[in-house]
Short mmCIF file of all heavy atoms in Angstrom, two decimals:
data_model
loop_
_atom_site.label_atom_id
_atom_site.label_comp_id
_atom_site.label_asym_id
_atom_site.label_seq_id
_atom_site.Cartn_x
_atom_site.Cartn_y
_atom_site.Cartn_z
N GLY A 119 109.52 104.36 82.93
CA GLY A 119 110.14 103.89 84.17
C GLY A 119 109.10 103.22 85.04
O GLY A 119 108.23 102.49 84.54
N SER A 120 109.16 103.51 86.34
CA SER A 120 108.27 102.88 87.30
C SER A 120 106.81 103.06 86.90
O SER A 120 106.08 102.09 86.64
CB SER A 120 108.54 103.48 88.68
OG SER A 120 107.60 103.01 89.62
N GLN A 121 106.34 104.30 86.78
CA GLN A 121 104.95 104.54 86.43
C GLN A 121 104.70 104.32 84.93
O GLN A 121 103.68 103.75 84.55
CB GLN A 121 104.55 105.98 86.78
CG GLN A 121 104.47 106.26 88.27
CD GLN A 121 103.35 105.48 88.95
OE1 GLN A 121 102.26 105.33 88.42
NE2 GLN A 121 103.63 104.97 90.13
N GLY A 122 105.64 104.76 84.09
CA GLY A 122 105.42 104.74 82.65
C GLY A 122 105.09 103.36 82.11
O GLY A 122 104.11 103.18 81.37
N HIS A 123 105.89 102.37 82.49
CA HIS A 123 105.66 101.03 81.91
C HIS A 123 104.31 100.47 82.35
O HIS A 123 103.61 99.81 81.60
CB HIS A 123 106.80 100.07 82.27
CG HIS A 123 106.60 99.34 83.57
ND1 HIS A 123 106.81 99.94 84.80
CD2 HIS A 123 106.19 98.07 83.82
CE1 HIS A 123 106.53 99.06 85.75
NE2 HIS A 123 106.15 97.92 85.19
N ALA A 124 103.92 100.80 83.59
CA ALA A 124 102.67 100.26 84.13
C ALA A 124 101.45 100.94 83.48
O ALA A 124 100.51 100.25 83.05
CB ALA A 124 102.64 100.46 85.65
N HIS A 125 101.49 102.27 83.38
CA HIS A 125 100.38 102.97 82.73
C HIS A 125 100.22 102.48 81.29
O HIS A 125 99.12 102.17 80.84
CB HIS A 125 100.63 104.48 82.70
CG HIS A 125 100.55 105.16 84.03
ND1 HIS A 125 99.92 106.38 84.20
CD2 HIS A 125 101.00 104.80 85.25
CE1 HIS A 125 100.00 106.74 85.48
NE2 HIS A 125 100.66 105.80 86.13
N ALA A 126 101.36 102.45 80.57
CA ALA A 126 101.31 102.10 79.14
C ALA A 126 100.72 100.71 78.95
O ALA A 126 99.84 100.50 78.11
CB ALA A 126 102.72 102.19 78.54
N GLN A 127 101.19 99.75 79.73
CA GLN A 127 100.73 98.37 79.53
C GLN A 127 99.28 98.19 79.96
O GLN A 127 98.51 97.50 79.29
CB GLN A 127 101.65 97.41 80.28
CG GLN A 127 103.05 97.36 79.67
CD GLN A 127 103.96 96.34 80.35
OE1 GLN A 127 103.51 95.30 80.79
NE2 GLN A 127 105.23 96.66 80.44
N ASN A 128 98.89 98.81 81.08
CA ASN A 128 97.50 98.67 81.52
C ASN A 128 96.55 99.33 80.53
O ASN A 128 95.50 98.77 80.18
CB ASN A 128 97.31 99.28 82.91
CG ASN A 128 98.05 98.52 84.00
OD1 ASN A 128 98.77 97.57 83.71
ND2 ASN A 128 97.90 98.94 85.24
N LEU A 129 96.91 100.54 80.08
CA LEU A 129 96.06 101.24 79.10
C LEU A 129 95.91 100.41 77.82
O LEU A 129 94.82 100.29 77.27
CB LEU A 129 96.68 102.60 78.75
CG LEU A 129 96.57 103.71 79.81
CD1 LEU A 129 97.55 104.83 79.51
CD2 LEU A 129 95.13 104.26 79.87
N ASP A 131 96.23 97.13 77.50
CA ASP A 131 95.40 95.95 77.77
C ASP A 131 93.92 96.32 77.79
O ASP A 131 93.06 95.47 77.52
CB ASP A 131 95.78 95.30 79.11
CG ASP A 131 97.11 94.58 79.03
OD1 ASP A 131 97.65 94.45 77.90
OD2 ASP A 131 97.63 94.15 80.08
N ASN A 132 93.62 97.57 78.12
CA ASN A 132 92.22 98.03 78.10
C ASN A 132 91.85 98.66 76.76
O ASN A 132 90.94 99.49 76.69
CB ASN A 132 91.97 99.02 79.25
CG ASN A 132 91.55 98.31 80.52
OD1 ASN A 132 90.97 97.22 80.48
ND2 ASN A 132 91.84 98.90 81.67
N MET A 170 100.81 112.05 78.62
CA MET A 170 100.99 111.79 80.05
C MET A 170 102.48 111.86 80.36
O MET A 170 103.27 111.07 79.82
CB MET A 170 100.44 110.41 80.40
CG MET A 170 100.77 109.92 81.81
SD MET A 170 100.35 111.05 83.15
CE MET A 170 98.84 110.34 83.81
N LEU A 172 105.49 111.13 82.44
CA LEU A 172 105.95 110.25 83.52
C LEU A 172 107.47 110.16 83.55
O LEU A 172 108.05 109.10 83.81
CB LEU A 172 105.30 108.86 83.37
CG LEU A 172 103.77 108.88 83.52
CD1 LEU A 172 103.17 107.51 83.20
CD2 LEU A 172 103.36 109.32 84.93
N ALA A 199 101.14 112.47 86.85
CA ALA A 199 100.85 111.55 87.96
C ALA A 199 101.24 112.19 89.29
O ALA A 199 101.20 111.54 90.34
CB ALA A 199 101.60 110.23 87.77
N VAL A 220 96.23 111.85 87.05
CA VAL A 220 95.83 110.57 87.61
C VAL A 220 97.06 110.03 88.34
O VAL A 220 98.08 109.75 87.71
CB VAL A 220 95.35 109.57 86.54
CG1 VAL A 220 95.06 108.21 87.17
CG2 VAL A 220 94.10 110.10 85.83
N ALA A 221 96.97 109.97 89.64
CA ALA A 221 98.14 109.62 90.47
C ALA A 221 97.88 108.34 91.25
O ALA A 221 97.17 108.37 92.25
CB ALA A 221 98.45 110.77 91.42
N PRO A 222 98.44 107.22 90.78
CA PRO A 222 98.27 105.98 91.53
C PRO A 222 98.92 106.09 92.90
O PRO A 222 99.98 106.70 93.04
CB PRO A 222 99.01 104.94 90.68
CG PRO A 222 99.13 105.55 89.31
CD PRO A 222 99.23 107.02 89.55
N LYS A 223 98.28 105.52 93.90
CA LYS A 223 98.84 105.56 95.24
C LYS A 223 99.72 104.34 95.48
O LYS A 223 99.55 103.60 96.44
CB LYS A 223 97.71 105.64 96.28
CG LYS A 223 97.01 106.96 96.32
CD LYS A 223 97.88 108.09 96.90
CE LYS A 223 98.64 108.88 95.90
NZ LYS A 223 99.59 109.84 96.47
N GLY A 224 100.66 104.12 94.60
CA GLY A 224 101.60 103.02 94.76
C GLY A 224 102.63 103.06 93.65
O GLY A 224 102.43 103.72 92.63
N PRO A 225 103.76 102.37 93.83
CA PRO A 225 104.79 102.35 92.81
C PRO A 225 104.33 101.59 91.57
O PRO A 225 103.39 100.79 91.62
CB PRO A 225 105.96 101.63 93.49
CG PRO A 225 105.35 100.84 94.59
CD PRO A 225 104.12 101.57 95.00
N GLY A 226 105.01 101.85 90.44
CA GLY A 226 104.59 101.30 89.16
C GLY A 226 104.50 99.78 89.11
O GLY A 226 103.57 99.24 88.52
N HIS A 227 105.46 99.09 89.75
CA HIS A 227 105.40 97.62 89.64
C HIS A 227 104.13 97.07 90.28
O HIS A 227 103.57 96.08 89.83
CB HIS A 227 106.66 96.96 90.19
CG HIS A 227 106.80 97.01 91.67
ND1 HIS A 227 107.43 98.04 92.33
CD2 HIS A 227 106.35 96.18 92.62
CE1 HIS A 227 107.36 97.82 93.63
NE2 HIS A 227 106.72 96.70 93.84
N LEU A 228 103.63 97.77 91.31
CA LEU A 228 102.35 97.35 91.92
C LEU A 228 101.17 97.69 91.03
O LEU A 228 100.20 96.94 90.95
CB LEU A 228 102.16 98.05 93.27
CG LEU A 228 102.56 97.31 94.53
CD1 LEU A 228 102.04 98.07 95.75
CD2 LEU A 228 102.00 95.89 94.55
N VAL A 229 101.27 98.86 90.34
CA VAL A 229 100.21 99.27 89.43
C VAL A 229 100.04 98.21 88.34
O VAL A 229 98.93 97.85 87.95
CB VAL A 229 100.53 100.65 88.79
CG1 VAL A 229 99.52 101.03 87.72
CG2 VAL A 229 100.58 101.73 89.88
N ARG A 230 101.15 97.67 87.88
CA ARG A 230 101.09 96.65 86.83
C ARG A 230 100.71 95.28 87.41
O ARG A 230 99.87 94.58 86.87
CB ARG A 230 102.46 96.56 86.12
CG ARG A 230 102.51 95.53 85.00
CD ARG A 230 101.48 95.83 83.91
NE ARG A 230 101.40 94.75 82.94
CZ ARG A 230 100.35 94.56 82.13
NH1 ARG A 230 99.30 95.36 82.17
NH2 ARG A 230 100.36 93.57 81.27
N ARG A 231 101.36 94.91 88.50
CA ARG A 231 101.14 93.55 89.03
C ARG A 231 99.70 93.36 89.50
O ARG A 231 99.05 92.37 89.19
CB ARG A 231 102.12 93.27 90.18
CG ARG A 231 102.23 91.78 90.46
CD ARG A 231 102.64 91.43 91.89
NE ARG A 231 103.81 92.14 92.34
CZ ARG A 231 104.04 92.44 93.62
NH1 ARG A 231 103.15 92.10 94.55
NH2 ARG A 231 105.12 93.09 93.96
N THR A 232 99.17 94.34 90.25
CA THR A 232 97.81 94.20 90.75
C THR A 232 96.82 94.18 89.58
O THR A 232 95.84 93.43 89.60
CB THR A 232 97.42 95.34 91.71
OG1 THR A 232 97.70 96.58 91.08
CG2 THR A 232 98.18 95.26 93.01
N PHE A 233 97.10 94.95 88.53
CA PHE A 233 96.22 94.98 87.35
C PHE A 233 96.18 93.59 86.71
O PHE A 233 95.11 93.07 86.38
CB PHE A 233 96.74 96.01 86.34
CG PHE A 233 95.92 96.11 85.09
CD1 PHE A 233 94.85 96.99 85.01
CD2 PHE A 233 96.22 95.33 83.98
CE1 PHE A 233 94.09 97.08 83.84
CE2 PHE A 233 95.47 95.41 82.82
CZ PHE A 233 94.40 96.29 82.75
N ALA A 234 97.37 93.00 86.56
CA ALA A 234 97.45 91.67 85.93
C ALA A 234 96.72 90.63 86.78
O ALA A 234 96.22 89.63 86.25
CB ALA A 234 98.92 91.29 85.73
N GLN A 235 96.62 90.86 88.08
CA GLN A 235 95.93 89.92 88.97
C GLN A 235 94.43 90.20 89.03
O GLN A 235 93.70 89.53 89.75
CB GLN A 235 96.50 90.04 90.39
CG GLN A 235 97.94 89.51 90.53
CD GLN A 235 98.59 89.97 91.83
OE1 GLN A 235 98.12 90.91 92.49
NE2 GLN A 235 99.68 89.31 92.21
N GLY A 236 93.98 91.24 88.30
CA GLY A 236 92.54 91.53 88.29
C GLY A 236 92.13 92.60 89.31
O GLY A 236 90.96 92.94 89.41
N PHE A 237 93.10 93.10 90.06
CA PHE A 237 92.80 94.19 91.01
C PHE A 237 93.40 95.48 90.45
O PHE A 237 93.53 95.62 89.24
CB PHE A 237 93.41 93.89 92.39
CG PHE A 237 92.93 92.62 92.99
CD1 PHE A 237 93.72 91.47 92.95
CD2 PHE A 237 91.70 92.56 93.61
CE1 PHE A 237 93.27 90.29 93.50
CE2 PHE A 237 91.23 91.39 94.16
CZ PHE A 237 92.02 90.24 94.10
N ALA A 238 93.77 96.38 91.31
CA ALA A 238 94.41 97.62 90.88
C ALA A 238 94.89 98.37 92.11
O ALA A 238 94.55 98.01 93.25
CB ALA A 238 93.43 98.50 90.10
N VAL A 239 95.68 99.40 91.86
CA VAL A 239 96.07 100.34 92.91
C VAL A 239 95.09 101.51 92.82
O VAL A 239 94.81 101.99 91.71
CB VAL A 239 97.52 100.80 92.66
CG1 VAL A 239 97.88 101.99 93.53
CG2 VAL A 239 98.50 99.65 92.88
N PRO A 240 94.54 101.98 93.93
CA PRO A 240 93.67 103.16 93.86
C PRO A 240 94.45 104.36 93.35
O PRO A 240 95.67 104.42 93.50
CB PRO A 240 93.24 103.39 95.32
CG PRO A 240 93.74 102.25 96.11
CD PRO A 240 94.76 101.51 95.30
N SER A 241 93.74 105.32 92.77
CA SER A 241 94.40 106.53 92.29
C SER A 241 93.66 107.77 92.79
O SER A 241 92.48 107.70 93.14
CB SER A 241 94.39 106.59 90.76
OG SER A 241 95.33 105.71 90.21
N LEU A 242 94.38 108.88 92.79
CA LEU A 242 93.75 110.19 92.93
C LEU A 242 93.57 110.76 91.52
O LEU A 242 94.37 110.46 90.64
CB LEU A 242 94.66 111.14 93.72
CG LEU A 242 95.16 110.66 95.07
CD1 LEU A 242 96.04 111.74 95.70
CD2 LEU A 242 93.99 110.33 95.98
N TYR A 260 91.01 107.73 81.87
CA TYR A 260 92.42 107.35 82.03
C TYR A 260 92.57 106.49 83.30
O TYR A 260 93.24 105.45 83.28
CB TYR A 260 93.31 108.60 82.11
CG TYR A 260 94.78 108.28 82.03
CD1 TYR A 260 95.48 108.45 80.83
CD2 TYR A 260 95.49 107.81 83.14
CE1 TYR A 260 96.84 108.14 80.74
CE2 TYR A 260 96.83 107.50 83.06
CZ TYR A 260 97.51 107.67 81.87
OH TYR A 260 98.86 107.36 81.79
N ALA A 261 91.91 106.94 84.37
CA ALA A 261 91.97 106.18 85.62
C ALA A 261 91.40 104.78 85.44
O ALA A 261 91.93 103.79 85.96
CB ALA A 261 91.23 106.92 86.73
N LYS A 262 90.33 104.69 84.62
CA LYS A 262 89.77 103.37 84.33
C LYS A 262 90.74 102.57 83.46
O LYS A 262 90.92 101.36 83.66
CB LYS A 262 88.43 103.51 83.61
CG LYS A 262 87.69 102.20 83.46
CD LYS A 262 86.27 102.43 82.95
CE LYS A 262 85.47 101.12 82.98
NZ LYS A 262 84.07 101.33 82.61
N GLY A 263 91.38 103.26 82.53
CA GLY A 263 92.33 102.60 81.64
C GLY A 263 93.49 101.95 82.37
O GLY A 263 93.96 100.89 81.98
N ILE A 264 93.96 102.56 83.43
CA ILE A 264 95.06 101.93 84.18
C ILE A 264 94.52 100.99 85.27
O ILE A 264 95.29 100.39 86.01
CB ILE A 264 96.05 102.95 84.79
CG1 ILE A 264 95.38 103.85 85.83
CG2 ILE A 264 96.73 103.78 83.71
CD1 ILE A 264 96.38 104.68 86.64
N GLY A 265 93.20 100.87 85.36
CA GLY A 265 92.60 99.87 86.24
C GLY A 265 92.06 100.41 87.55
O GLY A 265 91.33 99.73 88.26
N SER A 266 92.39 101.65 87.88
CA SER A 266 92.13 102.13 89.24
C SER A 266 90.66 102.18 89.63
O SER A 266 90.33 102.05 90.81
CB SER A 266 92.76 103.51 89.45
OG SER A 266 94.16 103.40 89.49
N THR A 267 89.75 102.37 88.64
CA THR A 267 88.33 102.43 89.00
C THR A 267 87.81 101.06 89.48
O THR A 267 86.73 100.98 90.04
CB THR A 267 87.46 102.93 87.82
OG1 THR A 267 87.85 102.19 86.65
CG2 THR A 267 87.64 104.41 87.57
N ARG A 268 88.58 100.00 89.25
CA ARG A 268 88.19 98.69 89.78
C ARG A 268 88.10 98.72 91.31
O ARG A 268 87.31 98.02 91.92
CB ARG A 268 89.23 97.63 89.42
CG ARG A 268 89.29 97.26 87.97
CD ARG A 268 90.44 96.28 87.77
NE ARG A 268 90.60 95.88 86.38
CZ ARG A 268 91.62 95.15 85.96
NH1 ARG A 268 92.56 94.74 86.81
NH2 ARG A 268 91.71 94.80 84.70
N VAL A 269 89.00 99.54 91.91
CA VAL A 269 89.07 99.56 93.38
C VAL A 269 88.68 100.91 93.97
O VAL A 269 88.36 101.01 95.15
CB VAL A 269 90.49 99.17 93.88
CG1 VAL A 269 90.76 97.70 93.59
CG2 VAL A 269 91.56 100.05 93.26
N TYR A 332 100.04 98.64 108.52
CA TYR A 332 99.55 98.60 107.13
C TYR A 332 98.37 97.63 107.02
O TYR A 332 97.37 97.92 106.38
CB TYR A 332 100.72 98.16 106.25
CG TYR A 332 100.49 98.06 104.76
CD1 TYR A 332 100.54 99.21 103.96
CD2 TYR A 332 100.30 96.82 104.15
CE1 TYR A 332 100.39 99.11 102.59
CE2 TYR A 332 100.15 96.73 102.77
CZ TYR A 332 100.19 97.87 101.99
OH TYR A 332 100.05 97.77 100.62
#
Side-chain angles (χ1 to χ4, degrees):
S120 174
Q121 291 294 320
H123 88 283
H125 290 222
Q127 292 184 34
N128 293 4
L129 286 164
D131 287 352
N132 272 332
M170 171 53 102
L172 296 173
V220 175
K223 288 290 93 187
H227 71 270
L228 264 191
V229 174
R230 181 60 188 160
R231 198 206 309 152
T232 52
F233 179 90
Q235 291 165 343
F237 302 101
V239 168
S241 285
L242 307 180
Y260 191 100
K262 189 171 188 175
I264 64 169
S266 289
T267 48
R268 290 176 181 173
V269 291
Y332 181 81

